[in-house]
Amino acid sequence: MSVQLEHLLSRVEKPARYIGGEYNAVLKDWDDVKVRIAFAFPDIYEVGMSHLGLQILYHVVNRRSDALMERVFAPWVDMEALMRQQQVLLFALESRRPLRDFDIVAFTLQYELSFSNVLNMLDLARIPLYAWERAEDDPLVIAGGPCAYNPEPLADFLDAVFLGEAEEAFDEIISAYQAAKEQSLSRRELLLALGRIPGVYLPSFYAVQYDDRGRVTGIIPRDPAVPRKVAKRVVADLNEAPFPTKPIVPNIKVVHDRAVLEVFRGCTRGCRFCQAGVIYRPVRERDVNRLMAQADAIIRNTGYDEVSLASLSTTDYSAIRPLVRELVERYADRKVGISLPSTRVDAFAVDLAKAIQEVRKSGLTFAPEAGTQRLRDVINKRVTEEDLLAAVTAAFKAGWLRVKLYFMLGLPTETMDDVEGINILARKVIDTGLEAGVPANRLSVTISASSFVPKPHTPFQWEPFMRADELRTRQDCLKRRLKGRGLVFCAHDVETSFLEAVFARGDRRLGAVLARARELGCRLDGWREWFSPELWRQAFADTGLTPEEFAYRRFGYEDVLPWDHLEAGVSKAFLVAEHKRALAGETTADCRAGRCTGCGLCPTLEVEPRIPGVAVDAHQACL
């Protein structure tokens, strides 16, 4: 039975978050399909509907005649309160069926601060929180996404975890589930059937060993049917991968409200802090003709007036100039704008931005990441001060008035000289704008400083999170220094970054903390107005753990990391070597230039990088 909402909608902010019925949404007859899946995004509608992965997986599943996928998001606090008061179960948008009626509830784990929302959504759906409490007829609760590369804090609550790119294997998961049901297999037998699919990790089938200090010493399979290590799955040919050309058009304004073209996937620049640059390797491109056909179909099927060219570093796409030229020529008369969400720090990127923003011009964003060349070498951000100043000079002369610069505080080996370097660089950008003729009263340079969080499967995974008091000292220093006309400074909240580090580096002991935090009312932790450090501190105290032991620990190369049984493709030996090079201030070249860096990924996955002009034998050093 579907949930009745009409008596609630008039009493909540933005009722369109909960009604479904959007243009291009798919509503199937439940009786016509054999497998019913809910895509669960553990944040509110406006955030979840901006996620390209949702649109891709929704398309992958709903193109099948024997399966359906519907969507569910975390409700805002007003709706949650009414749902609890009126005993309304959490429901999917398309059919308004309660979440517990589905066969599979598939969460995407995009950021660690959404973990409490996973538990809260399960509680709102009245699905047992702990995997071992679920009965034969309860939904399977699975998860994927970037945080799936260390899902251990959520291990007690998940039946299965998928590593890698879901369009590569979701058909296999559906078929295995369907076959298991037809054979009337038990829940355990069903999980083992899923565990035979490469990329699927079954947390309950692994035992974690600890020493007397509570540190992980081993992760051992409980059953010989599961592998000692689980490796990610990768789409070999992105050009042929399914992609939605009839994406759902949101009912209300969302964070990223535009058409999206994924021009390529992966990045080989090798920034040592960047998890995405590891887990989405190797680089694979889509052809210009395929992208143009997708753009035509998406605009025709949605009415969007902006197309975003998405990737980790869009200007690295080998055919970016012909693609932009064709898009601009085809859509300029129709007032369809083209946007680049990620801009390289060079004049080429500014020239490109100028070409594509003739329809509408916004600010430009660059990411030097660190204030000094020494520290940029440490993190392998191969960008010089000259590169940045040349880029902003080109931008100001081309008519831009606003520039935003992204930096990180708390990077490994950072000193106060590096922090002062941010101030010096920002003032040089201001001077550059004035010299380029930008009026002083219209010139704006925004400095955004986030806190570095060490992430699994990166060269900095052994590094600790900088102590909170030290980070605040650095933020306060920049607040004092970055004052004056045209300068705007903003910094990320240290407490939220601290909690992110705890869960990014944590192990299964944190499951008890998550469960207690949910009982205390923690949810929507990514929203400043609802994040409560006091409640989280109480949750840790009530479970006998301290967050500092997870955030501030420096791992050794010989230590067993909580995620060592999960493989992102890049070898641990390469990450160790990169960490050592970082501490020595040595940089590593981008393998797109033709020289293999020996990360070990390409032959392991049997995928050749789709980069025109780079010979296959350039990657033989990986073997």
Side-chain angles (χ1 to χ4, degrees):
M1 295 292 293
S2 62
V3 172
Q4 300 301 309
L5 292 179
E6 285 67 25
H7 66 298
L8 301 180
L9 294 177
S10 64
R11 302 163 63 185
V12 299
E13 176 188 358
K14 298 185 180 178
R17 288 168 170 160
Y18 312 106
I19 61 175
E22 302 99 324
Y23 194 66
N24 291 334
V26 177
L27 180 58
K28 292 188 176 183
D29 189 327
W30 271 50
D31 295 330
D32 289 342
V33 299
K34 296 180 179 179
V35 183
R36 305 165 184 94
I37 305 164
F39 186 106
F41 196 98
D43 209 321
I44 66 170
Y45 180 91
E46 293 95 311
V47 178
M49 283 303 296
S50 301
H51 178 49
L52 178 60
L54 182 157
Q55 301 275 13
I56 291 174
L57 205 53
Y58 191 82
H59 167 67
V60 167
V61 175
N62 283 323
R63 67 179 181 165
R64 294 177 59 130
S65 61
D66 60 350
L68 65 76
M69 175 171 277
E70 301 186 6
R71 297 159 297 139
V72 60
F73 304 95
W76 193 243
V77 289
D78 54 354
M79 185 63 164
E80 179 187 339
L82 286 173
M83 290 171 67
R84 292 190 182 279
Q85 178 187 337
Q86 301 291 324
Q87 297 186 354
V88 173
L89 300 184
L90 187 63
F91 56 91
L93 296 191
E94 281 76 2
S95 65
R96 296 191 185 177
R97 295 257 187 169
L99 210 55
R100 68 182 188 184
D101 287 355
F102 286 79
D103 298 308
I104 299 173
V105 177
F107 283 94
T108 181
L109 306 177
Q110 294 294 310
Y111 30 84
E112 289 83 0
L113 293 182
S114 70
F115 286 4
S116 59
N117 291 341
V118 173
L119 271 63
N120 198 47
M121 290 172 72
L122 291 174
D123 183 63
L124 279 168
R126 292 189 197 161
I127 296 172
L129 286 186
Y130 291 99
W132 59 77
E133 293 178 340
R134 294 180 194 130
E136 293 292 322
D137 58 350
D138 281 318
L140 280 184
V141 179
I142 69 176
C147 295
Y149 287 88
N150 179 26
E152 294 304 285
L154 285 170
D156 291 343
F157 315 105
L158 301 175
D159 294 303
V161 176
F162 177 73
L163 297 186
E165 297 165 348
E167 65 263 60
E168 170 69 9
F170 219 81
D171 281 333
E172 297 172 38
I173 292 172
I174 294 172
S175 297
Y177 183 95
Q178 184 174 321
K181 285 300 184 183
E182 290 172 351
Q183 298 169 41
S184 300
L185 298 185
S186 68
R187 193 177 185 90
R188 175 182 171 81
E189 291 169 327
L190 166 60
L191 286 172
L192 283 172
L194 293 176
R196 285 191 284 272
I197 299 172
V200 174
Y201 164 53
L202 307 175
S204 64
F205 285 75
Y206 293 76
V208 180
Q209 301 170 336
Y210 299 90
D211 63 16
D212 55 4
R213 293 181 295 173
R215 297 184 173 185
V216 176
T217 58
I219 304 102
I220 310 299
R222 298 178 186 271
D223 191 299
V226 298
R228 290 189 64 84
K229 294 193 175 186
V230 179
K232 75 176 181 182
R233 292 286 293 276
V234 165
V235 173
D237 187 349
L238 193 66
N239 213 41
E240 298 301 323
F243 191 80
T245 55
K246 293 184 69 175
I248 308 166
V249 180
N251 279 334
I252 57 176
K253 183 73 174 176
V254 298
V255 176
H256 301 299
D257 200 5
R258 56 200 176 215
V260 177
L261 286 181
E262 185 186 27
V263 297
F264 76 93
R265 193 175 295 177
C267 180
T268 53
R269 285 185 168 263
C271 297
R272 290 167 178 146
F273 56 83
C274 182
Q275 186 186 55
V278 173
I279 64 177
Y280 291 115
R281 286 189 184 195
V283 170
R284 292 140 292 153
E285 297 188 348
R286 282 192 168 96
D287 296 339
V288 171
N289 291 339
R290 182 62 56 94
L291 290 168
M292 291 303 301
Q294 290 175 350
D296 285 342
I298 294 171
I299 291 171
R300 182 174 63 251
N301 292 326
T302 64
Y304 278 120
D305 63 358
E306 181 181 353
V307 177
S308 175
L309 306 182
S311 74
L312 291 176
S313 181
T314 302
T315 50
D316 285 338
Y317 177 52
S318 63
I320 189 65
R321 281 196 181 278
L323 175 63
V324 166
R325 183 172 60 251
E326 288 200 37
L327 287 170
V328 170
E329 289 176 356
R330 187 169 300 186
Y331 299 121
D333 291 344
R334 295 160 60 178
K335 302 301 181 184
V336 174
I338 313 298
S339 62
L340 290 175
S342 53
T343 308
R344 207 165 64 193
V345 183
D346 59 24
F348 162 74
V350 175
D351 179 55
L352 196 62
K354 181 181 178 182
I356 68 175
Q357 295 196 29
E358 292 179 1
V359 175
R360 60 181 67 87
K361 183 172 288 188
S362 58
L364 280 181
T365 299
F366 300 104
E369 309 293 2
T372 64
Q373 192 60 49
R374 183 201 70 81
L375 192 53
R376 286 193 290 274
D377 288 345
V378 168
I379 65 177
N380 207 43
K381 187 78 176 181
R382 294 182 307 280
V383 169
T384 66
E385 179 178 303
E386 291 73 23
D387 292 332
L388 176 63
L389 295 181
V392 296
T393 297
F396 291 135
K397 288 184 176 179
W400 270 270
L401 306 174
R402 294 178 288 120
V403 168
K404 189 170 187 177
L405 305 178
Y406 275 121
F407 294 91
M408 281 188 285
L409 294 174
L411 287 162
T413 79
E414 180 184 272
T415 67
M416 290 305 293
D417 286 340
D418 299 308
V419 176
E420 174 60 17
I422 296 175
N423 171 57
I424 294 171
L425 195 54
R427 294 188 179 279
K428 287 183 178 179
V429 172
I430 285 282
D431 291 342
T432 298
L434 295 173
E435 291 169 4
V438 179
N441 63 342
R442 301 185 66 190
L443 177 62
S444 175
V445 177
T446 298
I447 310 300
S448 178
S450 63
S451 302
F452 164 70
V453 175
K455 291 298 178 81
H457 306 285
T458 69
F460 288 154
Q461 63 182 350
W462 293 278
E463 292 287 333
F465 181 74
M466 180 172 281
R467 293 191 173 272
D469 56 346
E470 294 180 36
L471 275 172
R472 291 192 185 92
T473 297
R474 284 158 163 72
Q475 288 184 354
D476 291 342
C477 173
L478 285 176
K479 284 179 185 176
R480 293 192 303 270
R481 301 288 285 150
L482 288 169
K483 290 183 177 179
R485 173 175 276 190
L487 284 173
V488 179
F489 175 71
C490 55
H492 288 203
D493 179 65
V494 171
E495 288 282 0
T496 56
S497 297
F498 172 74
L499 190 64
E500 180 185 342
V502 169
F503 285 107
R505 314 180 83 237
D507 55 56
R508 292 191 183 186
R509 292 176 295 160
L510 289 173
V513 178
L514 276 167
R516 180 58 181 146
R518 186 207 60 80
E519 292 173 352
L520 294 171
C522 292
R523 75 273 198 252
L524 297 175
D525 292 300
W527 296 84
R528 186 185 297 265
E529 61 265 48
W530 298 111
F531 175 65
S532 174
E534 296 77 16
L535 290 182
W536 278 104
R537 291 283 176 184
Q538 182 180 338
F540 275 96
D542 290 350
T543 52
L545 295 171
T546 60
E548 288 79 9
E549 66 178 292
F550 298 95
Y552 296 155
R553 178 185 173 188
R554 181 183 296 279
F555 290 112
Y557 295 142
E558 71 287 349
D559 289 330
V560 176
L561 304 177
W563 50 88
D564 266 351
H565 55 307
L566 306 175
E567 296 188 334
V570 172
S571 72
K572 194 171 183 178
F574 175 76
L575 296 179
V576 169
E578 277 294 279
H579 185 245
K580 291 178 178 178
R581 281 191 281 265
L583 298 182
E586 300 172 359
T587 61
T588 300
D590 185 340
C591 68
R592 288 171 66 93
R595 182 178 180 181
C596 177
T597 56
C599 77
L601 187 140
C602 296
T604 301
L605 296 174
E606 298 181 351
V607 174
E608 296 175 5
R610 290 180 56 83
I611 309 171
V614 176
V616 174
D617 62 4
H619 293 268
Q620 293 306 301
C622 294
L623 296 172

